[in-house]
Amino acid sequence: MSRELAEALTAAGASALVPKVIDPNLFEKLRRYSPLIESLPSQKIRTTTYYFNTRNGLASGGAVTDGGARQVSAGSYFQTGATIKNLQVVGAVTGYAEEVTADVIGDLRGREIMGAIKGLRWDTEQMLVAGNAGATQYGPYPQFDGLASQITQFTATGSLGQNCIDAAGGNISISLLNQLIDMVESYTAEQLTSGGADWMLVMSSTSEGALASLLTNQQRFVNEVEIIPGLVVPSYRNIPIVRSSYLGTKGNQMGTVTATPATTGGTLAAGTYYYKVSAVMSRQGEIAACAEVNATTTGSTGTVTLAFSTPSGFQASTPQTYMVYRGTSAGQETLLGYVDATVGLQSDGVTPIPTTSIVDTGTALVPQSGVTVPAQTPATYVGTSTGLKPRSAGQEDIYLMSRDRDNLLRPYVRDIQPKDVFPTTSSPDSMPFAVVSDTCLAIRGPEWVGRLTRVAPAL
């Protein structure tokens, strides 16, 4: 090689002169299926509580003799209310950041506001599925009850009809879906499979894929249905299938939990108690429960403390509530109750103090963070269900639900509205903003929603 060629300037040698070109198209890595806000019937209201009336009895009648008469009777009625809860995202960019990023990102503050709107939609969607009002009512982040908190009847009891079926870790099957449809139809006396978009099956993309495999193997093909403008979905037995990202564990599991008994401070009777704990994660849903732990109490005033490290979920999601399952024999745990994942706020009034242990007193579940406890907690267990068992990895829920506003409604006051927030003297170059929403989920007829729990779809 000649001396002239050996001394040629390379790109590495001229790296200081190579221009840096940044593609202005922003790749959005965080994605969710969030269909419920649009696909559920909604209504704007201008009050704090949505009230609705229900008739649960008709005037009685029957056979009578010629010229005879029956006793006078009347229908029976009752009123129910669903309290609106507030949701919020707060953000800010500096004027300097807005200027120096303009050539690449354009309007940085505008981009951040659009991202906040998307995030608040996901927060709302997660609460529509897995929110719990009772456990969070005294904390800094009170929720409304979602589907998982309202649809919990595994057996018919009195006037309450069954609306849940435990798949017990089985794969999705034609039989299970037909059982779900039959359960709901037996109470509603409506032909769910007649077509149209008054009903929908809500499931993960994994469950839909597993169902598609079953139907393809049987050479059964599905029709597509447009349930709202622009949202075209497949169907099963003419019932639209809507995908959701908030129904499965996504491979996440609660970490190690330790159980420590004490002889005073509670009402637990002497015995051995078995526990599993799971967490409901932000923008995700319930993850798989921890490995089983147990503790043995003595006397009649015992407690058990369940300690753990804060779990992290899909894409760094954080706990919103915890779910504690308890049994008196191994492997037989059922849901004891929900617990707030936040015990309070730090002295700045903004930063949350996360729950790191839960005390089972025998009458209630009390969240703790070291020696810090909430100023007030629920006096009894919240959300107890003797039919709901802990999830294992890969298990998820499927819902069959009405889309008729007479049966189910999402009332709202403000529906995901951006708000301008003004700079302060302590940060005059900040351009803050907020996005607010006020809503809840009012299920007027719990039998008009069916839930299939602990399904383990296999592709």
Side-chain angles (χ1 to χ4, degrees), residues 177-178 180-182 185 191-203 211 222-223 225 227 233-242 399-401 403:
L177 287 180
N178 288 343
L180 183 65
I181 294 169
D182 179 70
E185 194 164 305
Q191 188 171 344
L192 277 61
T193 58
S194 61
D198 289 338
W199 294 86
M200 64 180 175
L201 284 160
V202 184
M203 63 181 71
L211 175 60
V222 299
N223 297 321
V225 181
I227 62 171
V233 297
S235 64
Y236 171 71
R237 292 181 61 188
N238 293 322
I239 301 175
I241 299 172
V242 178
Y399 288 94
L400 169 62
M401 52 199 304
R403 295 187 63 248

PDB file of all heavy atoms in Angstrom, residues 177-178 180-182 185 191-203 211 222-223 225 227 233-242 399-401 403:
ATOM      1  N   LEU A 177     -66.418 -21.039  27.503  1.00  0.00           N
ATOM      2  CA  LEU A 177     -67.092 -19.846  26.976  1.00  0.00           C
ATOM      3  C   LEU A 177     -68.590 -20.057  26.901  1.00  0.00           C
ATOM      4  O   LEU A 177     -69.369 -19.141  27.208  1.00  0.00           O
ATOM      5  CB  LEU A 177     -66.528 -19.496  25.597  1.00  0.00           C
ATOM      6  CG  LEU A 177     -65.122 -18.903  25.569  1.00  0.00           C
ATOM      7  CD1 LEU A 177     -64.700 -18.603  24.136  1.00  0.00           C
ATOM      8  CD2 LEU A 177     -65.034 -17.636  26.406  1.00  0.00           C
ATOM      9  N   ASN A 178     -69.009 -21.242  26.512  1.00  0.00           N
ATOM     10  CA  ASN A 178     -70.444 -21.511  26.461  1.00  0.00           C
ATOM     11  C   ASN A 178     -71.061 -21.511  27.859  1.00  0.00           C
ATOM     12  O   ASN A 178     -72.202 -21.076  28.046  1.00  0.00           O
ATOM     13  CB  ASN A 178     -70.703 -22.850  25.765  1.00  0.00           C
ATOM     14  CG  ASN A 178     -70.449 -22.767  24.263  1.00  0.00           C
ATOM     15  OD1 ASN A 178     -70.385 -21.680  23.699  1.00  0.00           O
ATOM     16  ND2 ASN A 178     -70.305 -23.912  23.611  1.00  0.00           N
ATOM     17  N   LEU A 180     -70.009 -19.645  30.290  1.00  0.00           N
ATOM     18  CA  LEU A 180     -70.071 -18.227  30.639  1.00  0.00           C
ATOM     19  C   LEU A 180     -71.289 -17.565  30.011  1.00  0.00           C
ATOM     20  O   LEU A 180     -72.035 -16.828  30.677  1.00  0.00           O
ATOM     21  CB  LEU A 180     -68.785 -17.539  30.181  1.00  0.00           C
ATOM     22  CG  LEU A 180     -68.622 -16.057  30.504  1.00  0.00           C
ATOM     23  CD1 LEU A 180     -68.548 -15.819  32.007  1.00  0.00           C
ATOM     24  CD2 LEU A 180     -67.372 -15.492  29.819  1.00  0.00           C
ATOM     25  N   ILE A 181     -71.511 -17.839  28.739  1.00  0.00           N
ATOM     26  CA  ILE A 181     -72.661 -17.263  28.026  1.00  0.00           C
ATOM     27  C   ILE A 181     -73.963 -17.768  28.637  1.00  0.00           C
ATOM     28  O   ILE A 181     -74.903 -16.998  28.886  1.00  0.00           O
ATOM     29  CB  ILE A 181     -72.588 -17.601  26.526  1.00  0.00           C
ATOM     30  CG1 ILE A 181     -71.374 -16.898  25.890  1.00  0.00           C
ATOM     31  CG2 ILE A 181     -73.872 -17.198  25.811  1.00  0.00           C
ATOM     32  CD1 ILE A 181     -71.055 -17.356  24.490  1.00  0.00           C
ATOM     33  N   ASP A 182     -74.026 -19.067  28.906  1.00  0.00           N
ATOM     34  CA  ASP A 182     -75.251 -19.643  29.466  1.00  0.00           C
ATOM     35  C   ASP A 182     -75.544 -19.080  30.851  1.00  0.00           C
ATOM     36  O   ASP A 182     -76.712 -18.826  31.184  1.00  0.00           O
ATOM     37  CB  ASP A 182     -75.119 -21.164  29.531  1.00  0.00           C
ATOM     38  CG  ASP A 182     -76.361 -21.825  30.120  1.00  0.00           C
ATOM     39  OD1 ASP A 182     -77.412 -21.820  29.437  1.00  0.00           O
ATOM     40  OD2 ASP A 182     -76.287 -22.315  31.271  1.00  0.00           O
ATOM     41  N   GLU A 185     -76.952 -15.580  30.330  1.00  0.00           N
ATOM     42  CA  GLU A 185     -78.241 -15.618  29.648  1.00  0.00           C
ATOM     43  C   GLU A 185     -79.336 -16.188  30.548  1.00  0.00           C
ATOM     44  O   GLU A 185     -80.505 -15.792  30.450  1.00  0.00           O
ATOM     45  CB  GLU A 185     -78.125 -16.440  28.367  1.00  0.00           C
ATOM     46  CG  GLU A 185     -79.298 -16.279  27.427  1.00  0.00           C
ATOM     47  CD  GLU A 185     -78.995 -16.766  26.026  1.00  0.00           C
ATOM     48  OE1 GLU A 185     -78.004 -16.289  25.432  1.00  0.00           O
ATOM     49  OE2 GLU A 185     -79.757 -17.626  25.529  1.00  0.00           O
ATOM     50  N   GLN A 191     -81.214 -13.067  24.472  1.00  0.00           N
ATOM     51  CA  GLN A 191     -80.472 -13.924  23.553  1.00  0.00           C
ATOM     52  C   GLN A 191     -79.175 -13.212  23.169  1.00  0.00           C
ATOM     53  O   GLN A 191     -79.139 -12.379  22.282  1.00  0.00           O
ATOM     54  CB  GLN A 191     -81.299 -14.245  22.314  1.00  0.00           C
ATOM     55  CG  GLN A 191     -80.638 -15.291  21.428  1.00  0.00           C
ATOM     56  CD  GLN A 191     -81.548 -15.765  20.310  1.00  0.00           C
ATOM     57  OE1 GLN A 191     -82.751 -15.543  20.348  1.00  0.00           O
ATOM     58  NE2 GLN A 191     -80.972 -16.408  19.314  1.00  0.00           N
ATOM     59  N   LEU A 192     -78.108 -13.579  23.867  1.00  0.00           N
ATOM     60  CA  LEU A 192     -76.833 -12.884  23.699  1.00  0.00           C
ATOM     61  C   LEU A 192     -76.225 -13.119  22.324  1.00  0.00           C
ATOM     62  O   LEU A 192     -75.416 -12.316  21.853  1.00  0.00           O
ATOM     63  CB  LEU A 192     -75.834 -13.345  24.765  1.00  0.00           C
ATOM     64  CG  LEU A 192     -75.923 -12.673  26.139  1.00  0.00           C
ATOM     65  CD1 LEU A 192     -77.263 -12.885  26.801  1.00  0.00           C
ATOM     66  CD2 LEU A 192     -74.813 -13.196  27.039  1.00  0.00           C
ATOM     67  N   THR A 193     -76.555 -14.226  21.689  1.00  0.00           N
ATOM     68  CA  THR A 193     -75.886 -14.625  20.450  1.00  0.00           C
ATOM     69  C   THR A 193     -76.673 -14.256  19.202  1.00  0.00           C
ATOM     70  O   THR A 193     -76.417 -14.781  18.126  1.00  0.00           O
ATOM     71  CB  THR A 193     -75.646 -16.144  20.458  1.00  0.00           C
ATOM     72  OG1 THR A 193     -76.914 -16.824  20.600  1.00  0.00           O
ATOM     73  CG2 THR A 193     -74.740 -16.536  21.611  1.00  0.00           C
ATOM     74  N   SER A 194     -77.610 -13.326  19.344  1.00  0.00           N
ATOM     75  CA  SER A 194     -78.446 -12.971  18.198  1.00  0.00           C
ATOM     76  C   SER A 194     -77.761 -12.025  17.232  1.00  0.00           C
ATOM     77  O   SER A 194     -78.293 -11.704  16.183  1.00  0.00           O
ATOM     78  CB  SER A 194     -79.754 -12.342  18.696  1.00  0.00           C
ATOM     79  OG  SER A 194     -79.484 -11.166  19.436  1.00  0.00           O
ATOM     80  N   GLY A 195     -76.579 -11.562  17.587  1.00  0.00           N
ATOM     81  CA  GLY A 195     -75.854 -10.633  16.725  1.00  0.00           C
ATOM     82  C   GLY A 195     -75.963  -9.208  17.219  1.00  0.00           C
ATOM     83  O   GLY A 195     -76.657  -8.904  18.176  1.00  0.00           O
ATOM     84  N   GLY A 196     -75.250  -8.308  16.564  1.00  0.00           N
ATOM     85  CA  GLY A 196     -75.234  -6.925  17.013  1.00  0.00           C
ATOM     86  C   GLY A 196     -74.118  -6.693  18.009  1.00  0.00           C
ATOM     87  O   GLY A 196     -73.255  -7.529  18.220  1.00  0.00           O
ATOM     88  N   ALA A 197     -74.159  -5.543  18.649  1.00  0.00           N
ATOM     89  CA  ALA A 197     -73.044  -5.142  19.513  1.00  0.00           C
ATOM     90  C   ALA A 197     -73.517  -4.770  20.913  1.00  0.00           C
ATOM     91  O   ALA A 197     -72.898  -3.980  21.594  1.00  0.00           O
ATOM     92  CB  ALA A 197     -72.308  -3.963  18.870  1.00  0.00           C
ATOM     93  N   ASP A 198     -74.635  -5.372  21.377  1.00  0.00           N
ATOM     94  CA  ASP A 198     -75.130  -5.060  22.712  1.00  0.00           C
ATOM     95  C   ASP A 198     -74.355  -5.809  23.794  1.00  0.00           C
ATOM     96  O   ASP A 198     -74.540  -5.534  24.983  1.00  0.00           O
ATOM     97  CB  ASP A 198     -76.617  -5.403  22.824  1.00  0.00           C
ATOM     98  CG  ASP A 198     -77.488  -4.444  22.025  1.00  0.00           C
ATOM     99  OD1 ASP A 198     -77.014  -3.324  21.751  1.00  0.00           O
ATOM    100  OD2 ASP A 198     -78.620  -4.811  21.676  1.00  0.00           O
ATOM    101  N   TRP A 199     -73.519  -6.765  23.418  1.00  0.00           N
ATOM    102  CA  TRP A 199     -72.718  -7.542  24.350  1.00  0.00           C
ATOM    103  C   TRP A 199     -71.297  -7.618  23.833  1.00  0.00           C
ATOM    104  O   TRP A 199     -71.043  -7.403  22.647  1.00  0.00           O
ATOM    105  CB  TRP A 199     -73.291  -8.956  24.519  1.00  0.00           C
ATOM    106  CG  TRP A 199     -74.629  -8.960  25.183  1.00  0.00           C
ATOM    107  CD1 TRP A 199     -75.849  -8.805  24.583  1.00  0.00           C
ATOM    108  CD2 TRP A 199     -74.880  -9.066  26.580  1.00  0.00           C
ATOM    109  NE1 TRP A 199     -76.843  -8.821  25.516  1.00  0.00           N
ATOM    110  CE2 TRP A 199     -76.281  -8.989  26.755  1.00  0.00           C
ATOM    111  CE3 TRP A 199     -74.068  -9.239  27.705  1.00  0.00           C
ATOM    112  CZ2 TRP A 199     -76.882  -9.071  28.009  1.00  0.00           C
ATOM    113  CZ3 TRP A 199     -74.668  -9.330  28.948  1.00  0.00           C
ATOM    114  CH2 TRP A 199     -76.049  -9.241  29.091  1.00  0.00           C
ATOM    115  N   MET A 200     -70.373  -7.930  24.694  1.00  0.00           N
ATOM    116  CA  MET A 200     -68.996  -8.133  24.240  1.00  0.00           C
ATOM    117  C   MET A 200     -68.258  -9.062  25.194  1.00  0.00           C
ATOM    118  O   MET A 200     -68.544  -9.103  26.400  1.00  0.00           O
ATOM    119  CB  MET A 200     -68.241  -6.803  24.116  1.00  0.00           C
ATOM    120  CG  MET A 200     -68.047  -6.041  25.389  1.00  0.00           C
ATOM    121  SD  MET A 200     -67.151  -4.486  25.109  1.00  0.00           S
ATOM    122  CE  MET A 200     -67.213  -3.755  26.762  1.00  0.00           C
ATOM    123  N   LEU A 201     -67.341  -9.817  24.638  1.00  0.00           N
ATOM    124  CA  LEU A 201     -66.391 -10.619  25.388  1.00  0.00           C
ATOM    125  C   LEU A 201     -65.097  -9.822  25.475  1.00  0.00           C
ATOM    126  O   LEU A 201     -64.567  -9.386  24.455  1.00  0.00           O
ATOM    127  CB  LEU A 201     -66.134 -11.961  24.697  1.00  0.00           C
ATOM    128  CG  LEU A 201     -67.214 -13.026  24.827  1.00  0.00           C
ATOM    129  CD1 LEU A 201     -67.055 -14.069  23.726  1.00  0.00           C
ATOM    130  CD2 LEU A 201     -67.157 -13.685  26.205  1.00  0.00           C
ATOM    131  N   VAL A 202     -64.600  -9.598  26.682  1.00  0.00           N
ATOM    132  CA  VAL A 202     -63.366  -8.844  26.882  1.00  0.00           C
ATOM    133  C   VAL A 202     -62.296  -9.825  27.337  1.00  0.00           C
ATOM    134  O   VAL A 202     -62.450 -10.481  28.375  1.00  0.00           O
ATOM    135  CB  VAL A 202     -63.546  -7.723  27.919  1.00  0.00           C
ATOM    136  CG1 VAL A 202     -62.271  -6.897  28.027  1.00  0.00           C
ATOM    137  CG2 VAL A 202     -64.722  -6.831  27.538  1.00  0.00           C
ATOM    138  N   MET A 203     -61.219  -9.927  26.567  1.00  0.00           N
ATOM    139  CA  MET A 203     -60.160 -10.884  26.875  1.00  0.00           C
ATOM    140  C   MET A 203     -58.825 -10.365  26.359  1.00  0.00           C
ATOM    141  O   MET A 203     -58.763  -9.394  25.588  1.00  0.00           O
ATOM    142  CB  MET A 203     -60.472 -12.254  26.261  1.00  0.00           C
ATOM    143  CG  MET A 203     -60.551 -12.289  24.753  1.00  0.00           C
ATOM    144  SD  MET A 203     -60.956 -13.941  24.079  1.00  0.00           S
ATOM    145  CE  MET A 203     -62.664 -14.128  24.551  1.00  0.00           C
ATOM    146  N   LEU A 211     -58.335 -19.015  21.464  1.00  0.00           N
ATOM    147  CA  LEU A 211     -59.671 -19.308  20.949  1.00  0.00           C
ATOM    148  C   LEU A 211     -59.642 -19.468  19.431  1.00  0.00           C
ATOM    149  O   LEU A 211     -60.279 -20.380  18.884  1.00  0.00           O
ATOM    150  CB  LEU A 211     -60.629 -18.193  21.342  1.00  0.00           C
ATOM    151  CG  LEU A 211     -62.050 -18.284  20.786  1.00  0.00           C
ATOM    152  CD1 LEU A 211     -62.733 -19.565  21.246  1.00  0.00           C
ATOM    153  CD2 LEU A 211     -62.879 -17.065  21.201  1.00  0.00           C
ATOM    154  N   VAL A 222     -65.052 -17.006  12.211  1.00  0.00           N
ATOM    155  CA  VAL A 222     -65.774 -15.964  12.927  1.00  0.00           C
ATOM    156  C   VAL A 222     -66.064 -14.783  12.017  1.00  0.00           C
ATOM    157  O   VAL A 222     -65.336 -14.518  11.059  1.00  0.00           O
ATOM    158  CB  VAL A 222     -64.964 -15.487  14.151  1.00  0.00           C
ATOM    159  CG1 VAL A 222     -64.744 -16.635  15.119  1.00  0.00           C
ATOM    160  CG2 VAL A 222     -63.627 -14.896  13.739  1.00  0.00           C
ATOM    161  N   ASN A 223     -67.135 -14.086  12.350  1.00  0.00           N
ATOM    162  CA  ASN A 223     -67.482 -12.866  11.651  1.00  0.00           C
ATOM    163  C   ASN A 223     -66.864 -11.674  12.378  1.00  0.00           C
ATOM    164  O   ASN A 223     -66.522 -11.753  13.552  1.00  0.00           O
ATOM    165  CB  ASN A 223     -69.002 -12.698  11.595  1.00  0.00           C
ATOM    166  CG  ASN A 223     -69.673 -13.807  10.820  1.00  0.00           C
ATOM    167  OD1 ASN A 223     -69.156 -14.251   9.797  1.00  0.00           O
ATOM    168  ND2 ASN A 223     -70.822 -14.270  11.310  1.00  0.00           N
ATOM    169  N   VAL A 225     -67.314  -7.642  13.614  1.00  0.00           N
ATOM    170  CA  VAL A 225     -68.384  -6.742  14.027  1.00  0.00           C
ATOM    171  C   VAL A 225     -67.775  -5.381  14.333  1.00  0.00           C
ATOM    172  O   VAL A 225     -66.714  -5.300  14.950  1.00  0.00           O
ATOM    173  CB  VAL A 225     -69.110  -7.281  15.286  1.00  0.00           C
ATOM    174  CG1 VAL A 225     -70.229  -6.332  15.689  1.00  0.00           C
ATOM    175  CG2 VAL A 225     -69.666  -8.669  15.035  1.00  0.00           C
ATOM    176  N   ILE A 227     -68.195  -2.428  16.648  1.00  0.00           N
ATOM    177  CA  ILE A 227     -68.971  -2.112  17.848  1.00  0.00           C
ATOM    178  C   ILE A 227     -69.056  -0.614  18.108  1.00  0.00           C
ATOM    179  O   ILE A 227     -69.999  -0.148  18.737  1.00  0.00           O
ATOM    180  CB  ILE A 227     -68.426  -2.854  19.083  1.00  0.00           C
ATOM    181  CG1 ILE A 227     -66.986  -2.446  19.389  1.00  0.00           C
ATOM    182  CG2 ILE A 227     -68.518  -4.348  18.892  1.00  0.00           C
ATOM    183  CD1 ILE A 227     -66.494  -2.983  20.716  1.00  0.00           C
ATOM    184  N   VAL A 233     -63.979  -5.778  15.270  1.00  0.00           N
ATOM    185  CA  VAL A 233     -63.416  -6.866  16.071  1.00  0.00           C
ATOM    186  C   VAL A 233     -64.014  -8.190  15.621  1.00  0.00           C
ATOM    187  O   VAL A 233     -65.108  -8.238  15.053  1.00  0.00           O
ATOM    188  CB  VAL A 233     -63.686  -6.641  17.569  1.00  0.00           C
ATOM    189  CG1 VAL A 233     -63.001  -5.361  18.050  1.00  0.00           C
ATOM    190  CG2 VAL A 233     -65.177  -6.602  17.867  1.00  0.00           C
ATOM    191  N   PRO A 234     -63.318  -9.295  15.896  1.00  0.00           N
ATOM    192  CA  PRO A 234     -63.895 -10.618  15.611  1.00  0.00           C
ATOM    193  C   PRO A 234     -65.001 -10.935  16.619  1.00  0.00           C
ATOM    194  O   PRO A 234     -65.227 -10.191  17.585  1.00  0.00           O
ATOM    195  CB  PRO A 234     -62.701 -11.564  15.763  1.00  0.00           C
ATOM    196  CG  PRO A 234     -61.786 -10.864  16.701  1.00  0.00           C
ATOM    197  CD  PRO A 234     -61.948  -9.395  16.425  1.00  0.00           C
ATOM    198  N   SER A 235     -65.670 -12.050  16.426  1.00  0.00           N
ATOM    199  CA  SER A 235     -66.761 -12.416  17.317  1.00  0.00           C
ATOM    200  C   SER A 235     -66.759 -13.916  17.566  1.00  0.00           C
ATOM    201  O   SER A 235     -66.171 -14.705  16.809  1.00  0.00           O
ATOM    202  CB  SER A 235     -68.114 -11.986  16.727  1.00  0.00           C
ATOM    203  OG  SER A 235     -68.370 -12.704  15.516  1.00  0.00           O
ATOM    204  N   TYR A 236     -67.409 -14.313  18.643  1.00  0.00           N
ATOM    205  CA  TYR A 236     -67.663 -15.725  18.930  1.00  0.00           C
ATOM    206  C   TYR A 236     -69.150 -15.879  19.187  1.00  0.00           C
ATOM    207  O   TYR A 236     -69.705 -15.178  20.044  1.00  0.00           O
ATOM    208  CB  TYR A 236     -66.863 -16.188  20.160  1.00  0.00           C
ATOM    209  CG  TYR A 236     -67.256 -17.581  20.617  1.00  0.00           C
ATOM    210  CD1 TYR A 236     -66.912 -18.698  19.855  1.00  0.00           C
ATOM    211  CD2 TYR A 236     -68.008 -17.774  21.769  1.00  0.00           C
ATOM    212  CE1 TYR A 236     -67.293 -19.971  20.233  1.00  0.00           C
ATOM    213  CE2 TYR A 236     -68.384 -19.043  22.163  1.00  0.00           C
ATOM    214  CZ  TYR A 236     -68.028 -20.139  21.399  1.00  0.00           C
ATOM    215  OH  TYR A 236     -68.412 -21.407  21.765  1.00  0.00           O
ATOM    216  N   ARG A 237     -69.798 -16.716  18.416  1.00  0.00           N
ATOM    217  CA  ARG A 237     -71.252 -16.892  18.488  1.00  0.00           C
ATOM    218  C   ARG A 237     -71.955 -15.532  18.372  1.00  0.00           C
ATOM    219  O   ARG A 237     -72.887 -15.224  19.093  1.00  0.00           O
ATOM    220  CB  ARG A 237     -71.652 -17.621  19.770  1.00  0.00           C
ATOM    221  CG  ARG A 237     -71.213 -19.082  19.823  1.00  0.00           C
ATOM    222  CD  ARG A 237     -71.667 -19.767  21.109  1.00  0.00           C
ATOM    223  NE  ARG A 237     -73.134 -19.767  21.230  1.00  0.00           N
ATOM    224  CZ  ARG A 237     -73.796 -20.159  22.325  1.00  0.00           C
ATOM    225  NH1 ARG A 237     -73.110 -20.557  23.388  1.00  0.00           N
ATOM    226  NH2 ARG A 237     -75.109 -20.126  22.358  1.00  0.00           N
ATOM    227  N   ASN A 238     -71.438 -14.717  17.486  1.00  0.00           N
ATOM    228  CA  ASN A 238     -71.971 -13.384  17.190  1.00  0.00           C
ATOM    229  C   ASN A 238     -71.771 -12.383  18.315  1.00  0.00           C
ATOM    230  O   ASN A 238     -72.328 -11.278  18.271  1.00  0.00           O
ATOM    231  CB  ASN A 238     -73.470 -13.453  16.838  1.00  0.00           C
ATOM    232  CG  ASN A 238     -73.726 -14.183  15.540  1.00  0.00           C
ATOM    233  OD1 ASN A 238     -72.958 -14.047  14.581  1.00  0.00           O
ATOM    234  ND2 ASN A 238     -74.786 -14.973  15.496  1.00  0.00           N
ATOM    235  N   ILE A 239     -70.976 -12.720  19.329  1.00  0.00           N
ATOM    236  CA  ILE A 239     -70.660 -11.780  20.399  1.00  0.00           C
ATOM    237  C   ILE A 239     -69.287 -11.176  20.110  1.00  0.00           C
ATOM    238  O   ILE A 239     -68.308 -11.913  19.989  1.00  0.00           O
ATOM    239  CB  ILE A 239     -70.655 -12.472  21.770  1.00  0.00           C
ATOM    240  CG1 ILE A 239     -72.021 -13.099  22.051  1.00  0.00           C
ATOM    241  CG2 ILE A 239     -70.294 -11.477  22.871  1.00  0.00           C
ATOM    242  CD1 ILE A 239     -72.057 -13.918  23.333  1.00  0.00           C
ATOM    243  N   PRO A 240     -69.174  -9.856  19.983  1.00  0.00           N
ATOM    244  CA  PRO A 240     -67.879  -9.231  19.682  1.00  0.00           C
ATOM    245  C   PRO A 240     -66.823  -9.570  20.735  1.00  0.00           C
ATOM    246  O   PRO A 240     -67.111  -9.665  21.927  1.00  0.00           O
ATOM    247  CB  PRO A 240     -68.194  -7.736  19.687  1.00  0.00           C
ATOM    248  CG  PRO A 240     -69.661  -7.647  19.429  1.00  0.00           C
ATOM    249  CD  PRO A 240     -70.262  -8.857  20.060  1.00  0.00           C
ATOM    250  N   ILE A 241     -65.579  -9.761  20.272  1.00  0.00           N
ATOM    251  CA  ILE A 241     -64.437 -10.020  21.153  1.00  0.00           C
ATOM    252  C   ILE A 241     -63.562  -8.772  21.167  1.00  0.00           C
ATOM    253  O   ILE A 241     -63.034  -8.348  20.135  1.00  0.00           O
ATOM    254  CB  ILE A 241     -63.613 -11.224  20.666  1.00  0.00           C
ATOM    255  CG1 ILE A 241     -64.475 -12.489  20.665  1.00  0.00           C
ATOM    256  CG2 ILE A 241     -62.382 -11.424  21.541  1.00  0.00           C
ATOM    257  CD1 ILE A 241     -63.799 -13.683  20.021  1.00  0.00           C
ATOM    258  N   VAL A 242     -63.409  -8.177  22.342  1.00  0.00           N
ATOM    259  CA  VAL A 242     -62.637  -6.948  22.494  1.00  0.00           C
ATOM    260  C   VAL A 242     -61.390  -7.257  23.308  1.00  0.00           C
ATOM    261  O   VAL A 242     -61.464  -7.871  24.370  1.00  0.00           O
ATOM    262  CB  VAL A 242     -63.478  -5.858  23.189  1.00  0.00           C
ATOM    263  CG1 VAL A 242     -62.655  -4.598  23.400  1.00  0.00           C
ATOM    264  CG2 VAL A 242     -64.724  -5.548  22.377  1.00  0.00           C
ATOM    265  N   TYR A 399     -64.153 -11.533  30.570  1.00  0.00           N
ATOM    266  CA  TYR A 399     -65.445 -10.972  30.948  1.00  0.00           C
ATOM    267  C   TYR A 399     -66.415 -11.020  29.775  1.00  0.00           C
ATOM    268  O   TYR A 399     -66.032 -10.787  28.614  1.00  0.00           O
ATOM    269  CB  TYR A 399     -65.309  -9.523  31.409  1.00  0.00           C
ATOM    270  CG  TYR A 399     -64.656  -9.367  32.759  1.00  0.00           C
ATOM    271  CD1 TYR A 399     -63.290  -9.141  32.868  1.00  0.00           C
ATOM    272  CD2 TYR A 399     -65.402  -9.446  33.925  1.00  0.00           C
ATOM    273  CE1 TYR A 399     -62.673  -8.998  34.109  1.00  0.00           C
ATOM    274  CE2 TYR A 399     -64.803  -9.305  35.175  1.00  0.00           C
ATOM    275  CZ  TYR A 399     -63.447  -9.080  35.252  1.00  0.00           C
ATOM    276  OH  TYR A 399     -62.846  -8.953  36.486  1.00  0.00           O
ATOM    277  N   LEU A 400     -67.667 -11.315  30.089  1.00  0.00           N
ATOM    278  CA  LEU A 400     -68.779 -11.170  29.151  1.00  0.00           C
ATOM    279  C   LEU A 400     -69.674 -10.096  29.736  1.00  0.00           C
ATOM    280  O   LEU A 400     -70.168 -10.237  30.863  1.00  0.00           O
ATOM    281  CB  LEU A 400     -69.529 -12.494  29.007  1.00  0.00           C
ATOM    282  CG  LEU A 400     -70.865 -12.440  28.257  1.00  0.00           C
ATOM    283  CD1 LEU A 400     -70.679 -11.987  26.813  1.00  0.00           C
ATOM    284  CD2 LEU A 400     -71.557 -13.810  28.308  1.00  0.00           C
ATOM    285  N   MET A 401     -69.876  -9.020  28.997  1.00  0.00           N
ATOM    286  CA  MET A 401     -70.579  -7.891  29.597  1.00  0.00           C
ATOM    287  C   MET A 401     -71.513  -7.191  28.621  1.00  0.00           C
ATOM    288  O   MET A 401     -71.287  -7.166  27.400  1.00  0.00           O
ATOM    289  CB  MET A 401     -69.589  -6.887  30.187  1.00  0.00           C
ATOM    290  CG  MET A 401     -68.507  -6.442  29.251  1.00  0.00           C
ATOM    291  SD  MET A 401     -67.085  -5.721  30.128  1.00  0.00           S
ATOM    292  CE  MET A 401     -67.861  -4.437  31.071  1.00  0.00           C
ATOM    293  N   ARG A 403     -73.409  -4.062  26.871  1.00  0.00           N
ATOM    294  CA  ARG A 403     -73.060  -2.721  26.413  1.00  0.00           C
ATOM    295  C   ARG A 403     -74.313  -1.837  26.335  1.00  0.00           C
ATOM    296  O   ARG A 403     -74.298  -0.787  25.713  1.00  0.00           O
ATOM    297  CB  ARG A 403     -72.362  -2.780  25.056  1.00  0.00           C
ATOM    298  CG  ARG A 403     -71.019  -3.492  25.089  1.00  0.00           C
ATOM    299  CD  ARG A 403     -70.273  -3.371  23.761  1.00  0.00           C
ATOM    300  NE  ARG A 403     -69.955  -1.994  23.453  1.00  0.00           N
ATOM    301  CZ  ARG A 403     -70.492  -1.294  22.457  1.00  0.00           C
ATOM    302  NH1 ARG A 403     -71.401  -1.845  21.664  1.00  0.00           N
ATOM    303  NH2 ARG A 403     -70.142  -0.049  22.240  1.00  0.00           N
TER     304      ARG A 403
END
